[in-house]
Amino acid sequence: MRAVALRLFSVSALATVWVLLWGRVTIPNIVMGVVVAVAIMVLLPVPPVPVRGRVHPVPLLKLLGLFCWYLVTSSVQLMWLAVKPGPPPKMGVLRVQLSIKSDLVLVLASAITTLLPGSVVLEIDQVRRILYCHVIDVGSAQAVERFHHQAAQVERLLIAAFERDDEWLSAEESA
């Protein structure tokens, strides 16, 4: 049942993207979106991603709220860096060590970090659980500390939402 629901969700998500790309919600666009989505899923199957544990809605909502807050504040900070007089801000690559266990949650962490204005994940070291991030403002210790604080808060909420230690099973235990 879960597999069928996941496939229906995938088809509807791909069809929605198709309709949005065409820019008009019409019956032919919806039908073609479903046809293209089914063709993609049949011709280009994606391997299943092992998902363990449960989703905890309260930390997930906190994560969403924190993400929205960081999105607004980092946008304002980036805007200020763009218009303030003086030399451009100092940029650099910062390393963020994570304690996330799941590859899926690691990808979520990198996506959230990349979506925040002023930072882009350049590389994910999957084995050592390290993100290498290009950050626009590293001109002061306070700016670097602010970035690391943001990354740590996102990591804490991702762990609370998706992979609590008491619910986590390793690959060997879940087999």
Side-chain angles (χ1 to χ4, degrees):
M1 183 64 186
R2 181 177 180 183
V4 172
L6 186 59
R7 288 187 188 273
L8 288 175
F9 174 76
S10 298
V11 167
S12 63
L14 288 170
T16 300
V17 169
W18 177 269
V19 171
L20 290 173
L21 286 172
W22 281 99
R24 294 185 56 202
V25 180
T26 62
I27 299 298
N29 275 347
I30 294 170
V31 170
M32 278 306 299
V34 170
V35 169
V36 169
V38 169
I40 287 172
M41 291 185 64
V42 169
L43 298 174
L44 304 169
V46 178
V49 176
V51 178
R52 298 178 199 96
R54 297 185 341 209
V55 175
H56 299 275
V58 173
L60 187 61
L61 286 173
K62 287 180 183 178
L63 176 66
L64 182 62
L66 183 73
F67 174 72
C68 290
W69 172 253
Y70 282 161
L71 195 62
V72 170
T73 58
S74 59
S75 295
V76 170
Q77 290 166 354
L78 193 62
M79 178 193 64
W80 172 245
L81 289 173
V83 299
K84 81 175 185 177
K90 186 176 178 183
M91 298 175 224
V93 176
L94 299 178
R95 184 178 70 196
V96 178
Q97 178 72 51
L98 301 173
S99 59
I100 291 172
K101 298 174 186 124
S102 164
D103 289 342
L104 182 61
V105 179
L106 181 65
V107 170
L108 283 173
S110 68
I112 290 170
T113 303
T114 295
L115 288 172
L116 294 175
S119 63
V120 174
V121 174
L122 299 174
E123 183 179 346
I124 303 172
D125 185 337
Q126 181 182 7
V127 174
R128 296 185 301 169
R129 300 297 194 211
I130 298 174
L131 300 180
Y132 293 95
C133 305
H134 180 271
V135 181
I136 287 185
D137 184 17
V138 295
S140 68
Q142 180 185 11
V144 172
E145 181 60 35
R146 180 175 52 240
F147 174 77
H148 282 294
H149 178 72
Q150 286 179 345
Q153 277 191 305
V154 167
E155 178 188 19
R156 268 193 306 275
L157 287 172
L158 279 169
I159 289 171
F162 298 110
E163 55 182 39
R164 294 182 179 178
D165 284 335
D166 59 334
E167 297 172 354
W168 181 259
L169 297 174
S170 67
E172 297 83 30
E173 292 172 327
S174 63

